[in-house]
Amino acid sequence: MIRRIMGEVDVKLGIRQTLAKIDDAFGKRSQTINAPKPLLVAVSKTKPIELILDGYSIGQRDFGENYVQELIEKANDPRILEHCKDIRWHFIGHLQTNKINKIVNLPNLHMIQTVHNAKLAEGLNKAWEKTKAEKPEKQHLNVLIQINTSGEDEKNGTQPAEAVNLYRFVTEKCPNLKCHGVMTIGRFGHDYSTGPNPDFIELMKCHQDICSTFERDPAELQVSMGMSDDFVQAIEMGSTIVRVGSSIFGARAKKNEA
């Protein structure tokens, strides 16, 4: 099965094509947008280790996973540990508080992008206090606050009106966390012939509110939005992190978290 998947998917080509599109979209972005060139997070959920190794071999370092158990298995895989020493794992799925301790000790955990409420932030802060005692070189856990810009019940994230308050809680009450910015998943399938994506507009407004309230340089506060079907439009609106999966690794089957 793995050989068949690898034969059908050219991960190296997918990454190169995606990076080229990022460069092109970044070059076309309005100069009024004060934001750095976007980072590509290759979303490898449900995909075999071999495809991650393939992507890593051409310089891709940031990979995203949605499921706790799958990330645990991949981060601890002997092949990853041996051949991908500089890999940076981004957790981009829903994190339940009872699984915090399972994830904070993982090797090469770089960022939790889905801190959606104060309870989760507090739990991560306490867990990282214990973790950093064993890893003094990692004083802070990098996080983004997740905002439910679409208002869908099935989507996690704080409400846009609470974005400033959650950012304040993380930065003032969670000294072991370093909040790098905001993130949204948004509603799927927006018709761009009708105009800009309202979820992107909403997230950029939250970004602006946080920057204004806390006197932050907009260029220093990350914006994670945009996936395979809309990352170009997201970049044009100011995204600094794009999460691209199927365009790189091919279509994936749905998987339920154990």
Side-chain angles (χ1 to χ4, degrees), residues 158-220:
T158 192
Q159 295 303 308
E162 292 298 317
V164 167
N165 289 334
L166 182 54
Y167 181 86
R168 176 180 288 110
F169 181 85
V170 174
T171 55
E172 295 181 1
K173 303 296 184 181
C174 302
N176 299 305
L177 306 184
K178 185 171 184 180
C179 188
H180 286 269
V182 294
M183 175 267 201
T184 193
I185 294 175
R187 191 182 300 273
F188 297 115
H190 174 69
D191 181 2
Y192 282 93
S193 68
T194 64
N197 190 322
D199 289 310
F200 295 168
I201 293 173
E202 188 67 60
L203 191 65
M204 293 310 300
K205 182 179 182 300
C206 292
H207 178 267
Q208 182 180 12
D209 290 345
I210 291 171
C211 290
S212 298
T213 302
F214 298 94
E215 299 182 342
R216 291 290 308 270
D217 181 349
E220 295 179 354

Side-chain angles (χ1 to χ4, degrees), residues 65-107:
E65 290 289 336
N66 285 63
Y67 307 114
V68 172
Q69 187 57 41
E70 185 174 0
L71 177 55
I72 291 171
E73 293 171 3
K74 287 179 175 177
N76 288 296
D77 188 280
R79 293 163 293 178
I80 294 292
L81 293 174
E82 180 181 357
H83 300 292
C84 306
K85 297 186 184 301
D86 297 323
I87 198 169
R88 294 185 290 265
W89 293 110
H90 296 244
F91 187 74
I92 59 174
H94 177 52
L95 179 60
Q96 297 171 303
T97 53
N98 63 352
K99 294 184 179 179
I100 288 175
N101 289 328
K102 292 183 177 181
I103 202 169
V104 294
N105 289 303
L106 292 178

Side-chain angles (χ1 to χ4, degrees), residues 116-148:
H116 59 278
N117 59 32
K119 181 181 178 181
L120 179 59
E122 189 173 36
L124 285 168
N125 182 65
K126 290 180 179 178
W128 200 256
E129 178 71 35
K130 301 175 184 177
T131 298
K132 73 177 186 179
E134 301 173 2
K135 302 176 183 178
E137 73 280 2
K138 299 189 70 173
Q139 289 298 301
H140 299 95
L141 172 62
N142 300 319
V143 302
L144 300 179
I145 59 172
Q146 182 180 5
I147 300 171
N148 186 348

